[in-house]
């Protein structure tokens, strides 16, 4: 699987989970302050500071990409799909089933494409087909002809992402196809706000910008790299950055 897919998914998930935990802890902290004011005793406050510290420490230790973690996430998704009644199964169900089977390496990418071709055409299915075909071309160093590339670009351009993960996948496909100007234009319009839950997305957006400016030999890449370095207080981010640069530089598309 192409490098960014698993990495971005799990890093994004880590940050979103951390954000939810911090929100929960802050809510409990406020309740404890109110209790402390009522009883005129602040003995309760250290009780919440400990779990907050533990959440942050565990986040820093666990942040990263693990095949085992990714498999667990995909298996949980698969288990949720299996609970869906036959009468409630639709093309969205089968689409998710195909993607999860592929991610768990239960089917090949060619088998995934063949299964996708059986589904009724819709925006999500069309995008999934194009995504798998582009990744297949990348993995097997296949050269796309102009007609194929133009068709893929149209499908990706028309695709409206319904989540941050899907937005990233759209950016990633443009990157693989070498549509750098399109990406730069999209990033200029991007209004993603800085927050804990968005840090994974922002980090990878900066990586893509760095790679584009690097290909153009643009000095802006130095400014972007300085922004990326802000993430390096967690040393694992340096590994993700180096791997991403190495992967894109070896891309045959």
């Amino acid at each position: 699987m192409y490098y960014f897919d698993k990495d971005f998914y799990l890093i994004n998930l880590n940050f979103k989970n951390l954000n939810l935990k911090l929100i929960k802890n802050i809510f409990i902290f406020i309740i404890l302050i109110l209790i402390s004011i009522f009883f005129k005793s602040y003995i309760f406050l250290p009780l919440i500071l400990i779990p907050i510290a533990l959440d942050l420490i565990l986040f820093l230790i666990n942040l990263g990409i693990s095949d085992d973690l990714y498999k667990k996430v995909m298996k949980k998704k698969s288990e949720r799909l299996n609970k869906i009644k036959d009468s409630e199964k639709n093309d969205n169900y089968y689409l998710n089933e195909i993607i999860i089977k592929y991610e768990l390496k239960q089917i090949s990418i060619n088998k995934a494409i063949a299964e996708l071709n059986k589904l009724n055409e819709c925006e999500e299915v069309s995008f999934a087909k194009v995504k798998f075909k582009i990744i297949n071309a990348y993995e097997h160093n296949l050269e796309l002809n102009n007609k194929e590339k133009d068709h893929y670009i149209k499908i990706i351009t028309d695709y409206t992402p319904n989540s941050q993960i899907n937005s990233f996948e759209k950016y990633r496909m443009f990157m693989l196809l070498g549509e750098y100007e399109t990406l730069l234009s999209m990033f200029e319009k991007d209004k993603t706000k800085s927050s804990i839950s968005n840090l994974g997305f922002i980090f990878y957006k900066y990586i893509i910008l760095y790679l584009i400016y690097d290909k153009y030999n643009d000095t802006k890449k130095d400014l972007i790299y300085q922004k990326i370095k802000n993430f390096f207080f967690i040393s694992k981010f340096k590994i993700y950055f180096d791997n991403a640069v190495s992967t894109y530089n070896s891309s045959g598309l």
Side-chain angles (χ1 to χ4, degrees):
M1 192 62 181
Y2 194 75
Y3 175 82
F4 267 159
D5 210 339
K6 179 174 69 178
D7 286 31
F8 173 71
Y9 182 85
L10 289 181
I11 284 180
N12 212 46
L13 194 63
N14 277 324
F15 274 116
K16 287 187 180 298
N17 287 341
L18 176 68
N19 194 49
L20 290 173
K21 286 178 181 178
L22 290 177
I23 290 171
K24 178 196 73 176
N25 286 332
I26 289 169
F27 180 70
I28 296 171
F29 188 62
I30 291 169
I31 292 175
L32 286 174
I33 287 177
L34 294 174
I35 293 172
S36 298
I37 292 171
F38 182 78
F39 288 105
K40 297 181 180 179
S41 171
Y42 295 94
I43 194 171
F44 300 103
L45 297 185
L47 298 177
I48 190 60
L49 294 175
I50 293 170
I52 288 176
L54 285 174
D55 279 343
L56 287 171
I57 291 168
L58 288 172
F59 169 76
L60 295 176
I61 292 172
N62 295 328
L63 177 67
I65 306 312
S66 148
D67 283 337
D68 289 338
L69 174 60
Y70 193 61
K71 284 177 183 176
K72 284 179 184 176
V73 172
M74 289 299 123
K75 282 178 180 176
K76 281 185 180 179
K77 285 181 175 288
S78 180
E79 288 168 6
R80 284 200 292 269
L81 281 179
N82 291 335
K83 292 178 182 177
I84 296 175
K85 297 176 184 177
D86 287 346
S87 59
E88 297 174 352
K89 291 178 180 178
N90 53 25
D91 278 351
N92 189 55
Y93 165 86
Y94 293 112
L95 172 62
N96 283 294
E97 183 183 48
I98 293 165
I99 292 171
I100 289 169
K101 281 183 177 180
Y102 172 72
E103 296 294 341
L104 290 172
K105 296 181 171 60
Q106 293 174 356
I107 58 174
S108 68
I109 194 164
N110 286 321
K111 175 68 174 174
I113 293 169
E115 292 296 317
L116 286 170
N117 286 331
K118 297 177 184 177
L119 301 181
N120 293 324
E121 204 67 37
C122 68
E123 190 176 45
E124 290 292 339
V125 170
S126 297
F127 180 74
K129 285 180 185 177
V130 167
K131 174 184 168 181
F132 275 81
K133 287 174 182 177
I134 292 171
I135 292 171
N136 185 50
Y138 164 79
E139 288 182 345
H140 296 94
N141 291 319
L142 302 175
E143 189 174 345
L144 301 175
N145 61 47
N146 290 335
K147 186 177 180 181
E148 283 177 316
K149 188 174 177 180
D150 289 344
H151 174 65
Y152 294 165
I153 289 171
K154 184 181 186 310
I155 296 293
I156 298 166
T157 302
D158 293 343
Y159 176 62
T160 305
N162 56 12
S163 69
Q164 209 171 60
I165 295 289
N166 288 342
S167 291
F168 181 80
E169 287 300 294
K170 181 171 181 171
Y171 297 154
R172 187 165 69 96
M173 292 304 110
F174 277 125
M175 186 71 186
L176 280 175
L177 292 172
E179 293 298 303
Y180 307 131
E181 292 292 344
T182 303
L183 265 173
L184 288 173
S185 175
M186 290 173 71
F187 283 151
E188 284 175 6
K189 297 172 186 174
D190 181 53
K191 303 297 182 183
T192 304
K193 295 179 180 178
S194 294
S195 67
I196 292 173
S197 62
N198 288 333
L199 282 180
F201 182 80
I202 293 167
F203 174 66
Y204 274 103
K205 187 176 82 169
Y206 283 151
I207 289 180
I208 292 178
L209 280 171
Y210 174 87
L211 291 163
I212 292 172
Y213 291 139
D214 188 41
K215 288 191 178 293
Y216 286 158
N217 199 24
D218 193 318
T219 54
K220 289 178 187 173
K221 74 175 184 180
D222 298 325
L223 295 173
I224 294 295
Y225 185 71
Q226 288 302 314
K227 289 185 177 182
I228 294 173
K229 279 181 71 174
N230 293 334
F231 290 87
F232 289 170
F233 68 93
I234 304 172
S235 60
K236 287 182 180 178
F237 278 125
K238 182 72 168 75
I239 298 170
Y240 305 151
F241 174 74
D242 290 341
N243 286 347
V245 172
S246 173
T247 303
Y248 266 123
N249 286 342
S250 64
S251 172
L253 288 179

